[in-house]
Amino acid sequence: MSDGYLRFESVTKRFEPIQVVAETDLSIARNDFVVFLGPSGCGKTTLMRMVGGLDTPTSGRILLDDRLVGAPDRRRGMVFQSYSSFPWLTVAGNIAFGMRYRDDLRAAEKAERVDHYLGLIGLEAFADHYPNRISGGMRQRVAIARTLAAGSDILLMDEPFGALDALTRERLQVELRRVQLHEAKTTIFVTHDVEEAVFLADRIVVFSQRPARIVAEIDVTGRLGADRSLDLRESRPFFELRNEVLHLIRHESGDPA
Amino acid sequence: MNPLFAFRGRPAPSVEILCGVVFAVALIAIWEAASDLGWIAPTFLPSPSRVAAATWTMVTHQNLLWHAGVSTVRVWVAFLIAAAMAVPIGILMSSYRIVGATLEPTIDFIRYLPVPALVPLSIIWFGIGEETKIFLLWLGTFFQLVLLVADDARRVPHEYVEIARTLGGGSRAVLVDVVFRAMGPTLVDNLRITLGWCWTYLIIAEIVAADSGLGFVIWSARRFVKTPEVMAGVIVIGIIGLVTDQILRALHRRMFRYL
């Protein structure tokens, strides 16, 4: 089912004295869009952060392309929910910051890439704006573009649309799907929003309450196809799958909500 | 409802400036009247016009500007030394917990020592030359500033640091490119506030041990009950403070346009 591009082998995590992640095995294929779905505070974010090297497993190991993941580097880029862009840099400056520590690109190439990603996220007109002058949705696009510009192989997204209004969130979900297909990036997206998970994911991994334990894996692309448009949200298969996942969450993960 | 008094409303900027000026002028007018009409003995409260006249005489005949200059130089030398030490040490204290854990108890202790209480000790150590003044000012600001800086650095959202690290930045690069940049606005604010404290300690130092500077001028005038000259000295400090603060605020706005 997967080529095991990213593999979790018996990974656990304790923040003494609390067990945050129970023993977890998981394999993620290259270019897959995987959503970690589970109740708030269950440990799914910690699992994702360990891929980024921002936390280290208490036991077990994580392999990327058959190599042990270590300290953070630009191959594994993060997009956060808040404080996602640097307020002292313009939109273009933020995207350029993604390449600040790349010595392999010449200045002209960097400028070209900034233009390319500004175009990809549709913010050419806002290149010289500071983050506090643009909307929350635009700020999240900037963060995504910055990570792409850095040339990361994996996108790690921690509830990036959690603070946005419903309409903006839907639009960004469509765009993220498009960008992810276009750029062919393996993506781990953490959320507790079931609809968001179903709409975005190739595959959903459902986690229990803390300590996080995988309770189900759902092949969304097998059910809904890879093509996601806003119309899909109103279709019967989408609703059926959504209800199925919701049911699963309520009964399997023991989420009181 | 009068729009001027709309709860949490915003009157026009010109109206705000006008009100500020009118209040200050009215206060001076009342003060002038109180002295001219003999409500208060001029020895206690000389009229503004007499204070102004005294100021002018002091500028033309008693080197008031030179004394002001001496005081300003002392403040800035001590402040720059304190800042040059406090900024890197404060950032290190918040970036490396072990540095913070090592230094914080001692700094916290010294911070609570009242500067005036250390004047005698300072004179024993350094005599009554410039060293004493610089030392007292440094003492009064460094230990406060270093903790403020550490707090500023600590308050930089961890997300910024983690973003930079996942973009391939090493700890040095993250410190310079992210932590220092992110804390910029609060750092400059805290520097501005600490500079104001320097003036307080300067006057204490100059009253006790000096033959120049505004504190010396004020204290000598007091000995001969030259109240207008005492007030002139105080007012000059106020003006220097006001001007410096406005310049630093303007600089803050220019440096941090993105706010």
Side-chain angles (χ1 to χ4, degrees), chain B residues 98-114:
Chain B
I98 188 68
V99 179
T102 307
L103 298 181
E104 200 149 331
T106 309
I107 289 178
D108 242 343
F109 169 73
I110 298 175
R111 184 169 77 106
Y112 276 100
L113 301 180

Side-chain angles (χ1 to χ4, degrees), chain A residues 1-248:
Chain A
M1 170 176 164
S2 72
D3 65 0
Y5 176 59
L6 177 65
R7 292 205 310 274
F8 298 78
E9 294 181 349
S10 309
V11 173
T12 70
K13 179 68 182 177
R14 287 181 75 83
F15 288 115
E16 289 303 336
I18 298 162
Q19 179 89 27
V20 182
V21 178
E23 193 168 310
T24 299
D25 289 278
L26 182 66
S27 183
I28 291 173
R30 196 187 292 267
N31 299 342
D32 236 7
F33 196 125
V34 175
V35 172
F36 285 2
L37 179 66
S40 300
C42 76
K44 57 194 190 296
T45 298
T46 305
L47 200 59
M48 181 193 71
R49 286 170 58 85
M50 288 192 282
V51 177
L54 298 172
D55 285 317
T56 46
T58 305
S59 66
R61 50 186 205 157
I62 299 173
L63 298 164
L64 176 62
D65 230 355
D66 290 324
R67 289 222 300 276
L68 213 55
V69 302
D73 61 38
R74 65 171 182 82
R75 291 187 63 197
R76 294 156 287 152
M78 280 292 271
V79 177
F80 292 102
Q81 176 181 130
S82 44
Y83 302 111
S84 58
S85 49
F86 299 127
W88 61 88
L89 296 174
T90 60
V91 167
N94 264 285
I95 297 174
F97 194 97
M99 295 171 284
R100 187 174 180 99
Y101 307 115
R102 286 189 68 167
D103 303 324
D104 55 324
L105 298 174
R106 281 175 291 115
E109 287 173 302
K110 288 185 179 179
E112 232 169 73
R113 283 173 71 91
V114 170
D115 287 340
H116 168 76
Y117 288 107
L118 270 174
L120 188 72
I121 57 167
L123 286 184
E124 298 102 322
F126 295 89
D128 297 325
H129 283 53
Y130 285 105
N132 72 337
R133 294 272 182 270
I134 59 178
S135 69
M138 290 183 190
R139 283 201 284 272
Q140 294 312 87
R141 291 183 207 192
V142 171
I144 293 167
R146 183 188 54 217
T147 311
L148 293 173
S152 49
D153 301 327
I154 293 194
L155 284 181
L156 303 170
M157 311 185 81
D158 187 8
E159 299 193 29
F161 306 149
L164 304 177
D165 66 85
L167 287 175
T168 308
R169 191 185 314 179
E170 284 185 2
R171 273 225 311 280
L172 278 182
Q173 286 164 0
V174 174
E175 256 180 70
L176 176 61
R177 230 357 246 202
R178 177 177 63 79
V179 166
Q180 194 262 347
L181 278 173
H182 182 265
E183 298 277 315
K185 299 286 179 194
T186 311
T187 304
I188 299 179
F189 187 106
V190 166
T191 186
H192 56 251
D193 179 333
V194 173
E195 253 182 67
E196 181 166 74
V198 172
F199 185 79
L200 283 172
D202 288 319
R203 184 153 71 111
I204 299 176
V205 180
V206 181
F207 287 92
S208 67
Q209 299 248 42
R210 197 176 68 200
R213 180 177 49 80
I214 297 175
V215 293
E217 292 184 39
I218 299 149
D219 176 12
V220 180
T221 297
R223 299 272 299 266
L224 300 178
D227 182 37
R228 310 293 161 86
S229 63
L230 275 178
D231 300 336
L232 182 74
R233 292 196 97 98
E234 293 158 28
S235 70
R236 182 168 287 277
F238 180 83
F239 263 109
E240 282 170 1
L241 187 55
R242 185 199 78 145
N243 292 344
E244 227 172 274
V245 176
L246 213 52
H247 184 84
L248 198 75

